[in-house]
Amino acid sequence: MFKKPLNLAANLIVAGQAYQPSKWEQRGYALLTVLALSTGAARAQSAEAALTQVKEKVIGIVQVIFAIILIIGLIRVVMKFVQGSPDALGSLGWLVGGVLLWFGFQLFKDDLVSAVGGSEGGGLTN
């Protein structure tokens, strides 16, 4: 098809270097570039805001679930000790394990937030 493809490429390079756009073409290219970059930045910011909201909701839901489970566990352990149930110490062990799991989640969450660049603290009020 092309007998001398390198010669064709050289001709295209020379033609591209010889073309000088007018001032209006340069302004139009600059305007299109600015518009493309600004819409891309706005989309990136809206996506980042949406991901931040999702992250906050997931962390809040998980913290509420942990709190409910730990409160129910604490009530059950207290009831077993009051009733003198033989498996009260086992239930206390499960409760301590749940508390340790909750603290592990808090440390993991704080580590993740600091690695991503947030400034949220621990606790149930996030």
Side-chain angles (χ1 to χ4, degrees):
M1 185 170 173
F2 296 111
K3 294 185 178 183
K4 296 182 179 180
L6 293 178
N7 192 16
L8 176 64
N11 288 340
L12 288 174
I13 290 172
V14 170
Q17 290 174 350
Y19 176 72
Q20 295 296 324
S22 69
K23 292 286 184 188
W24 286 106
E25 288 175 324
Q26 290 176 351
R27 290 178 185 155
Y29 294 145
L31 178 64
L32 288 175
T33 303
V34 168
L35 287 174
L37 291 175
S38 66
T39 57
R43 287 184 187 146
Q45 288 175 350
S46 65
E48 183 180 350
L51 287 174
T52 301
Q53 289 176 352
V54 169
K55 178 190 72 166
E56 290 174 357
K57 286 181 182 178
V58 168
I59 288 175
I61 289 170
V62 170
Q63 286 179 337
V64 167
I65 290 171
F66 266 122
I68 291 171
I69 290 172
L70 290 177
I71 290 170
I72 291 171
L74 179 64
I75 292 170
R76 291 186 71 193
V77 168
V78 169
M79 287 179 61
K80 285 186 179 190
F81 272 104
V82 168
Q83 293 173 353
S85 180
D87 65 339
L89 286 177
S91 296
L92 182 63
W94 280 103
L95 180 64
V96 170
V99 170
L100 291 176
L101 187 65
W102 184 75
F103 278 115
F105 173 74
Q106 292 297 320
L107 291 175
F108 175 72
K109 178 196 67 104
D110 292 341
D111 187 39
L112 184 65
V113 167
S114 66
V116 172
S119 60
E120 299 176 11
L124 292 175
T125 59
N126 281 349

